[in-house]
Structure formats: structure tokens, C-alpha cells
Amino acid sequence: MLSLANLDKVYPNGAHALDNVSLNVEAGEIVALVGGSGCGKTTLLRLVSGLEAPTQGTVSVDGEVISGPHAAVGFVFQEPRLLPWLSVAENIGFGLEHLPASERRDLVEEALLKVGLAGYGSRWPRELSGGQAQRVSIVRALVTRPKVLLMDEPFSALDALTRATLQDHLLALWEASQPTLLLVTHDVEEAAALADRAVVMQPRPGRVFADIPIPLPRPRDRLSPGFVEAKRAVLAALDGSLSQPVGASTKRDSQAPAGSWW
Amino acid sequence: MSDMQIAQKMTARTPARAASARIGGGFVYGLILPVAAALVYEAAFRAGLVQARLLPPPSRIAETLWKLASTGALTTHVVATLLRVGLGFGLGAVAGVMLGALTGSSTLARRLLDPTLQALRAIPSLAWVPLFILWLGIFEPSKIALIAVGCFFPVYLGVMGAIANVDRKIVEVGRAFRLSRLKLARRILLPAILPDTIVALRSGLGLGFMFVVAAEIMGASEGLGYLLVDGQQLGKPDQILAAILCFAVLGKAADWLILVATRPLLSWQDSFARSG
Ligand SMILES: Nc1ncnc2c1ncn2[C@@H]1O[C@H](COP(=O)(O)OP(=O)(O)OP(=O)(O)O)[C@@H](O)[C@H]1O
Ligand SMILES: [Mg+2]
């Protein structure tokens, strides 16, 4: 289980990015983090990944506190961030250097096959389309079999059609090892298509605004009433989070006068 | 796969045909202008349109070159010059890469060393010559020291800048995969700075040729620079031009060697120059 306990993050420049965020994610659960720009979603992921240290609070995976980049946690960045001097296959095998070459090759081949890029192993990253590059970056994080996979708006730079295809790819990949998945998105449809739960955040300072379960069976039919209803619920919460008088600490005690936010 | 194997694979993957076409094709284009100019001048000379006392025609320069070559003198001069450039460039480049890597990767080292090195850089390299001669004598060591100093700064600056410019996002990938400092340097920083480092080495080598001329003009008994001075003192413009021609060919060839030797390491690059 992934747990975030009372996370606070104040950047050196004084930006208060997160304020007392607590969240528990069951093993194998898919959670979508949704929220307006600047509400601390990226910050939250970076704290969980150990790339950034919290000002206060702890992150733990199965009881083990995360204090730096950890083998149990994989990260997929918003941009593919492939290493341009390595071939596609070498990029995927980047985190597998400790394995013998033959084992590594097999894992990489299998990964390429799974994301529909069989035969692309010897290409350079510059020879890939944006969607292909992002698929490579997803399997690069997944081949090491992390318990927790963090994804920061991984599909935001892609067109709607490619995005839907990659969401299906992602679910198929997730199916194989079922890691805990924490996915930042600003796309309500993406949250409804992938997540077991959507956590809506609120800005200045970043807090959890609402936690919305999406108990739909998979594969999900994007036209079914349940799906449409889930999207509507997330969207409503998102609207609420943005129209909240900023500065009120939670929606329960939003008694502060509306004009006092600044 | 180790990075060595990667380098080999890169070589294997570069289509040899495309590479040779690029080199060969460029070569032919590059020759058009100088050859045409030489032919025009030669024709003008034959037609009696120009006085050839100060600017001898290509045929006479070729003749001088041939004479120098057949007595073996040319080889002696060329070897002397190349040895000086090679040694000076080697010393300067190694020092430049090492200090550039140090100041580029450590803030403390940069704060300590860079101001001093920048101040030294502001001194025209030729200003060191009297001191080098006092310290090292008038023979080879002082010449090589001058060339090394000349080569050092562009390499130092290039490597330091290359490290400072490595994309933070790419370094973060290394951190996310929990690379140690050493592995981060080997697997991320080194390949990332390679292109800029090669550019720095090329400009360093260019300066090496510049300073070898200075060193040889100031006093040498062999070398292409000596041919220049000798030609001036004895009034042989054809010899001066022959030496200049040798510099052009050697400088270009040395640069081309660096380019060809490193091209396999850079075949991954996605840049404007490659797409042409
Ligand atoms: N490195 C940093 N240094 C200082 N402040 C930062 C830094 N990174 C983020 N912030 C601030 O922290 C807050 C949260 O930023 P964060 O990047 O986590 O938002 P986000 O929810 O990911 O936004 P978006 O949807 O636009 O990506 C913002 O106010 C931002 O200005
Ligand atoms: Mg973000």
C-alpha cells in the first residue's frame, strides 16, 4: 500500500505547493489526480518518487519510508525523456543494467511487443512519433516492475485518438503486473477511463478537495451511462475546487469571507 | 549493453554509403571554388595579364612543392610542424577536458578555479612567449607550451559549458533510476556532452595550427612556419605560398579526421546539419 501522511511542501522560494495532504492507495489501485493548474499535482508525484523531499510528512510504500528514488517506484514524465544516444531497445533496458544481457534482451523484446513496437528496437528516439516515444517511456518505467508507477500527464501532448489508444495500451500493461498507479491528468475522460478513484485537488495551497470512487467494471464503455455519470461527477468536483474561495483550508470549513483570499 | 558496445553498434548502424556520399560529395563541392580560382589565375598569367613576381602562378607553386617534396625537405618540415601541433594540442586538450569537467561538475571547483582561468584567458597567448623562452629555452618545449596554452582555453570553455548545459530533465531520468554519481557521469553526462566536446576539440585544434605558425615564425630551423620566414627572407613567394597551401591542407585534414573519427559516436544526433 502507498500512503502519504500529512505531506507539506514549501519550495525554497516560498511557494506553498502542498498543505497537509494525506492519501492512501491500495496495492494495484489506479488513482487519477485531477486539479487545476498549479494545485501541486506534479509536486505530489515528485515527493512520492523521492526526487523531491517533503517539507513535512512522509511517503511510504508497504511501510517503507521513501527518502530518495526507490526501486519500488517508477516515474513516467510528462515528456518521454528518452536518452537520445541510446536506441529504443537500450532506452527500455536502461533500468535493467544489473541483469545479464540475454535476460535483458528478452524483457525488452517482450516490452516492445506489448506496446506494439516490435521491430522498433534498433531505432533512434528521434525516429519515433510522439505517441511511440511516450509508449517507450512507459515501458521503460514498467520493465523494472515497480510496485508503484507514477505518471505525470503522460498523454497530455497527444491528440485525442492517440490518447485513447494509449490509455488502452496502459491498461493492458497494468494488467500484467498490476502496480499501484498514480496518474496525474487534466482530462476528465482519462480519469473516468482508467481510474478506480479520482482525487480532485485544490490550489493555493494544494490540498485534496474531493475523493470520487469510480466503481465501473473494465473494459469500460465510454458511451455507457455509468461512464458519463463518472465524468460528470469528476467535472463537478473540479468546478467546485476551482470556484472555492481560495485560502479556505477544506470544503468543510469554508466559512472564511469570500473576499479575504488575498 | 555496455557503452563500449553501444559505440560499436552505432558504427554498425550508420549506413556507410550515406556517410561516404556525404563526405565525398562535400569534398567535390568544396574544391570547385579554389580550383576555379587557380585555373583563372593561371590562365591570366599565361596570357600575360598579371605580373607574377609577387604572386606566382599555381604551376610555379606546384613546381616548388614538388622540388621540396622530392628532396625530402617537405616531409621533414611537415613532420616537425605536425609533431608540435600534436603534442601541444594533446597536452592542452587533456588539461582542458579535465579542468572543464571539474569546474563544470563541481560548484566549489568552479568558484575556486574559474575566475583565475578566465583571467588567464584574457591574456593574449602570445604574451607568454618571452616567459616561456626564459623558462623553457628557445627549442621545442617553449613552442609546445605556447600551442598547449592556445588549445587549452577553447577546450576548457567548451567542456565546462557543455556540462552546465546538460538538460536537467535528462539528468533527472538518471536520478529516477537511482544511478550513482559515477554511473550518472558515465551513462548520462558523458554522452550528453560529447557533441559539444567534439566541437570544442575542433576549435582547439584550429588554434593549435594558428599558434604553431607563431611559434615557428619566432624561431625554428624546420617546420612549415620556418618555410614561411625563409621564403620571406630569400624573396621566394612561391615557397611562402607552398607552405600556406600545406597549412590549409593539413589543417583541413586534421579537422576532417576528428570529424570522421567521431561521427559514429554522434549518429544519434537529431540536428539540422544531419537532415540535409
Ligand atoms: N521547483 C519549484 N520551485 C518553486 N516553486 C515551484 C516549483 N515547482 C512548482 N512550484 C510551485 O508549486 C505550485 C504547484 O506546482 P505544480 O507543478 O506541482 O502544479 P501542477 O498541479 O502540476 O500544475 P500543472 O497542472 O500546471 O502541471 C505552483 O504554485 C508552482 O508555482
Ligand atoms: Mg504539473
Side-chain angles (χ1 to χ4, degrees):
Chain A
M1 187 175 83
L2 167 67
S3 40
L4 323 188
N6 310 104
L7 283 184
D8 247 29
K9 179 67 185 179
V10 182
Y11 280 105
N13 68 356
H16 198 169
L18 291 177
D19 180 41
N20 195 22
V21 171
S22 295
L23 185 68
N24 285 322
V25 186
E26 294 301 325
E29 199 179 4
I30 302 182
V31 170
L33 275 178
V34 194
S37 186
C39 68
K41 306 180 296 291
T42 299
T43 304
L44 184 71
L45 281 205
R46 292 177 61 84
L47 294 185
V48 176
S49 72
L51 286 170
E52 198 95 52
T55 311
Q56 245 165 51
T58 52
V59 176
S60 55
V61 176
D62 291 344
E64 195 183 339
V65 174
I66 302 285
S67 56
H70 194 282
V73 183
F75 206 124
V76 176
F77 298 92
Q78 185 166 359
E79 328 77 33
R81 299 201 190 179
L82 302 181
L83 302 176
W85 53 83
L86 296 182
S87 70
V88 167
E90 288 155 359
N91 263 292
I92 295 177
F94 191 78
L96 300 174
E97 240 219 347
H98 53 284
L99 296 181
S102 62
E103 202 174 319
R104 194 165 48 204
R105 200 175 43 240
D106 292 346
L107 282 173
V108 169
E109 277 311 313
E110 190 191 322
L112 280 169
L113 202 66
K114 271 196 217 152
V115 287
L117 291 175
Y120 282 66
S122 61
R123 289 207 188 190
W124 295 120
R126 68 177 151 94
E127 297 166 326
L128 298 181
S129 73
Q132 290 168 339
Q134 194 55 286
R135 274 184 270 172
V136 171
S137 101
I138 292 172
V139 288
R140 175 177 67 181
L142 270 173
V143 281
T144 62
R145 299 229 158 207
K147 285 186 198 162
V148 177
L149 184 64
L150 309 170
M151 305 180 89
D152 192 359
E153 305 194 26
F155 308 134
S156 61
L158 307 171
D159 64 277
L161 206 62
T162 314
R163 199 181 307 162
T165 319
L166 287 205
Q167 286 160 1
D168 293 343
H169 269 292
L170 176 62
L171 277 181
L173 286 169
W174 171 84
E175 201 71 52
S177 53
Q178 309 220 342
T180 306
L181 194 57
L182 198 53
L183 171 104
V184 169
T185 176
H186 57 232
D187 178 3
V188 172
E189 165 125 2
E190 185 162 286
L194 298 173
D196 297 311
R197 234 164 95 195
V199 171
V200 179
M201 292 182 65
Q202 184 181 18
R204 268 167 288 151
R207 289 148 293 164
V208 174
F209 175 77
D211 196 332
I212 302 161
I214 308 178
L216 296 174
R218 295 194 179 89
R220 291 178 180 172
D221 174 1
R222 291 178 192 235
L223 300 174
S224 70
F227 190 90
V228 175
E229 171 56 28
K231 261 168 67 176
R232 205 198 53 74
V234 177
L235 201 57
L238 196 55
D239 273 347
S241 80
L242 295 176
S243 58
Q244 267 305 291
V246 188
S249 59
T250 68
K251 64 172 175 177
R252 265 150 274 133
D253 59 32
S254 58
Q255 312 289 25
S260 72
W261 58 273
W262 48 285
Chain B
M1 173 171 307
S2 82
D3 296 22
M4 283 302 117
Q5 286 168 298
I6 293 168
Q8 285 161 7
K9 235 182 102 198
M10 287 176 173
T11 325
R13 255 196 312 244
T14 321
R17 178 180 43 79
S20 70
R22 197 157 41 229
I23 296 164
F27 195 66
V28 171
Y29 280 111
L31 281 178
I32 293 176
L33 197 60
V35 168
L39 288 177
V40 168
Y41 187 67
E42 183 76 33
F45 167 73
R46 298 268 156 111
L49 294 176
V50 286
Q51 268 286 342
R53 203 177 58 76
L54 287 177
L55 185 51
S59 56
R60 185 159 316 149
I61 297 170
E63 201 180 304
T64 309
L65 264 178
W66 177 249
K67 262 189 227 150
L68 282 168
S70 56
T71 60
L74 188 64
T75 316
T76 314
H77 294 304
V78 165
V79 167
T81 295
L82 283 183
L83 271 179
R84 285 170 189 141
V85 175
L87 276 172
F89 172 71
L91 288 172
V94 167
V97 168
M98 291 201 316
L99 280 173
L102 187 66
T103 53
S105 51
S106 147
T107 317
L108 180 66
R110 181 162 57 246
R111 289 195 181 143
L112 278 176
L113 295 173
D114 191 56
T116 308
L117 288 169
Q118 298 292 351
L120 289 174
R121 187 170 78 96
I123 303 169
S125 303
L126 292 178
W128 293 108
V129 169
L131 205 55
F132 285 162
I133 290 178
L134 272 185
W135 286 347
L136 304 167
I138 55 163
F139 299 111
E140 296 309 304
S142 60
K143 295 189 179 60
I144 289 168
L146 173 66
I147 297 167
V149 167
C151 294
F152 170 80
F153 286 107
V155 176
Y156 167 75
L157 283 182
V159 171
M160 182 175 71
I163 294 179
N165 284 336
V166 173
D167 190 355
R168 183 189 58 77
K169 293 180 169 178
I170 292 261
V171 176
E172 207 159 63
V173 172
R175 283 186 57 212
F177 278 101
R178 292 169 301 121
L179 298 187
S180 63
R181 267 184 83 86
L182 202 67
K183 284 200 171 157
L184 195 73
R186 184 172 66 82
R187 300 183 69 192
I188 307 263
L189 293 181
L190 205 61
I193 66 168
L194 200 60
D196 286 354
T197 302
I198 289 166
V199 171
L201 288 175
R202 289 174 64 193
S203 48
L205 186 62
L207 281 180
F209 275 98
M210 193 169 124
F211 283 106
V212 82
V213 177
E216 289 177 346
I217 282 182
M218 283 181 293
S221 55
E222 54 185 32
L224 292 171
Y226 162 78
L227 278 188
L228 293 172
V229 180
D230 187 60
Q232 180 214 328
Q233 285 167 350
L234 302 182
K236 296 190 285 192
D238 51 333
Q239 183 178 316
I240 296 177
L241 282 165
I244 287 176
L245 200 63
C246 287
F247 271 122
V249 171
L250 289 181
K252 182 83 191 119
D255 188 55
W256 180 78
L257 269 181
I258 293 192
L259 213 58
V260 170
T262 55
R263 177 166 289 150
L265 299 175
L266 297 184
S267 51
W268 52 270
Q269 269 194 310
D270 187 7
S271 56
F272 175 64
R274 296 195 61 81
S275 63

